[in-house]
Amino acid sequence: MPEFNRRNFLVGSSVLGALGVLGAAGVTWDELHHRAATTPLAAGSGVLVLLTLYGGNDGINTVIPYADNAYHAARPELSYQPEEVLRLDEQLGLNPAMKGFAQLWQQRNLAIVRGVGYPRPDHSHFRSMDIWQTAAPDEPVNSGWIGRWLDATGGDPIRAVSIGPVLPQLAIGAKYTAAALDPASAPLSADMTAALSGLATVDPHDSAAQALVCAGYGADEAVLQAFSKVEPPAKSPDNPLQAQLDLVGTCIKAGVPTQVYSVSLGGFDTHADERRTQEQLLGRLDTAVSGFLADMATHPRGRDVVLLAYSEFGRRVAANASQGTDHGTAGPVFVAGAPIRGGFYGDEPSLTDLDNGDLKSTVDFRDVYHELLHKVVATDPGPAVGQGRRDIGLMA
């Protein structure tokens, strides 16, 4: 194999950067051979799509308690009137920007888990997102919950794929990490692809360090092979979440053997002028998710797809002086897809029995993860979310 001098290493690093494929270092050549020999994802295998809403989405103005006078009193200029919401029942309605979600609700393909949070909530974006992505509220840990699933079940680099330039904490394990694919990356030339293949070739004279680097190139080559059947969408839409979900949908229909995908949408930190900003963001969320699930409904593999949408915390009940809301605690999460039993889960938090102005959570987020791992990924949830958790009945 080529000598790994500094120049070659730097050239190789630029290859990986151009690919936008990171995080698979440490996979051995034997594992890559095994990966290359695997068949597409078996029919009937569940596929989980994790959608992170960065910034702390205001759940109260997403699933709106329009019939509660305490809601209107706490937000006199930020609240939605009963005639504005998309009614789910006699108490709650969706934000008017979420017409696609309302249709999913009517089709019984949308579950809304109310009051989701964790003990001793933290108002820091960084710490709270760390808690959600590591599923470890008690103390900081280095591994994410999907990363621990990878650790417990093997080292195939594409069982979990993060769409985007940054690998989220949830996808990082102690031994293995998910692959990352950046849809904005330019495709490689034939020469560069050949160079990558050469860099991945094992030589018995390699040092341990050289072998590790070689394994990393090989893992990335395995990812490329898996995605070689994937034709990217003809035109990237203006909605960044839609672009990510378009790619996920293309991968699912192509049979890429990935069971967990991670996508994201940011901008939900709405301390000022919240109503206009949040409606725009929820509109993007609504268009992307409802379009993705409608596309999945047309394909046999789509029957096995479940999407979870969550944020690191909700907002405080009362509006602030800037027509926005500040960092809060519990909020709703959405779980959608054909296998889901639509409806409400968990108790709606009180708007008057508060914890220093914040909602009191009624559902631990780890119970949602527990059921998704158990029923969608078909694995033992224990290594990822710990013992003592339970399903909450989202799926039959």
Side-chain angles (χ1 to χ4, degrees), residues 1-360:
M1 64 175 296
E3 286 294 322
F4 271 103
N5 56 37
R6 177 174 173 75
R7 179 177 178 279
N8 280 348
F9 179 80
L10 292 177
V11 169
S13 298
S14 69
V15 170
L16 297 180
L19 284 169
V21 177
L22 304 168
V27 179
T28 68
W29 182 243
D30 286 343
E31 288 167 339
L32 296 177
H33 265 297
H34 174 72
R35 168 61 190 85
T38 55
T39 58
L41 190 66
S45 299
V47 176
L48 176 60
V49 182
L50 302 174
L51 167 52
T52 303
L53 306 177
Y54 285 100
N57 178 44
D58 180 11
I60 296 174
N61 268 5
T62 302
V63 180
I64 300 169
Y66 69 90
D68 192 333
N69 290 333
Y71 164 67
H72 298 282
R75 302 178 169 204
E77 298 181 42
L78 196 59
S79 63
Y80 287 86
Q81 297 305 306
E83 62 273 19
E84 295 180 284
V85 306
L86 304 171
R87 296 194 182 196
L88 301 173
D89 63 11
E90 296 305 313
Q91 300 295 321
L92 298 172
L94 287 171
N95 186 286
M98 304 178 72
K99 294 181 175 58
F101 273 58
Q103 186 172 4
L104 289 169
W105 177 267
Q106 293 167 359
Q107 296 167 344
R108 306 290 296 173
N109 289 329
L110 175 66
I112 300 175
V113 189
R114 301 175 293 192
V116 184
Y118 54 86
R120 298 177 299 281
D122 195 304
H123 290 99
S124 162
H125 288 293
F126 303 105
R127 177 60 186 140
S128 193
M129 186 57 78
D130 182 71
I131 288 170
W132 275 83
Q133 296 206 347
T134 63
D138 296 331
E139 59 182 359
V141 299
N142 293 326
S143 59
W145 66 288
I146 293 300
R148 291 196 293 277
W149 165 64
L150 294 172
D151 286 344
T153 55
D156 189 331
I158 63 166
R159 286 183 302 140
V161 172
S162 175
I163 307 297
V166 177
L167 196 64
Q169 177 71 24
L170 66 89
I172 299 173
K175 296 184 294 184
Y176 303 114
T177 66
L181 184 67
D182 185 357
S185 297
L188 289 180
S189 68
D191 290 343
M192 293 293 276
T193 301
L196 180 63
S197 180
L199 290 168
T201 303
V202 170
D203 188 303
H205 302 293
D206 285 345
S207 67
Q210 288 172 332
L212 181 62
V213 174
C214 179
Y217 281 114
D220 292 312
E221 184 184 33
V223 173
L224 281 181
Q225 288 173 353
F227 283 90
S228 62
K229 299 176 182 177
V230 177
E231 291 291 338
K235 182 180 181 181
S236 296
D238 295 332
N239 185 336
L241 178 59
Q242 187 173 343
Q244 296 171 60
L245 288 175
D246 282 351
L247 183 54
V248 171
T250 304
C251 293
I252 291 171
K253 289 188 285 188
V256 171
T258 295
Q259 274 201 277
V260 179
Y261 293 90
S262 172
V263 298
S264 63
L265 180 66
F268 286 91
D269 196 16
T270 50
H271 289 281
D273 189 22
E274 173 180 304
R275 186 159 163 153
R276 179 181 61 85
T277 302
Q278 192 195 25
E279 280 196 23
Q280 291 176 343
L281 291 168
L282 292 178
R284 290 179 180 176
L285 170 71
D286 183 81
T287 300
V289 170
S290 60
F292 167 71
L293 292 175
D295 184 38
M296 289 297 93
T298 66
H299 195 275
R301 292 184 182 276
R303 291 194 292 267
D304 306 309
V305 175
V306 171
L307 180 143
L308 165 70
Y310 73 97
S311 196
E312 68 264 39
F313 46 58
R315 316 294 290 192
R316 291 175 71 80
V317 174
N320 62 27
S322 301
Q323 300 308 310
T325 53
D326 298 323
H327 301 178
T329 52
V333 303
F334 298 99
V335 188
I340 293 302
R341 298 197 298 191
F344 287 121
Y345 295 83
D347 294 330
E348 177 68 7
S350 169
L351 295 182
T352 54
D353 180 18
L354 304 176
D355 180 8
N356 192 29
D358 288 329
L359 298 177
K360 296 178 179 178

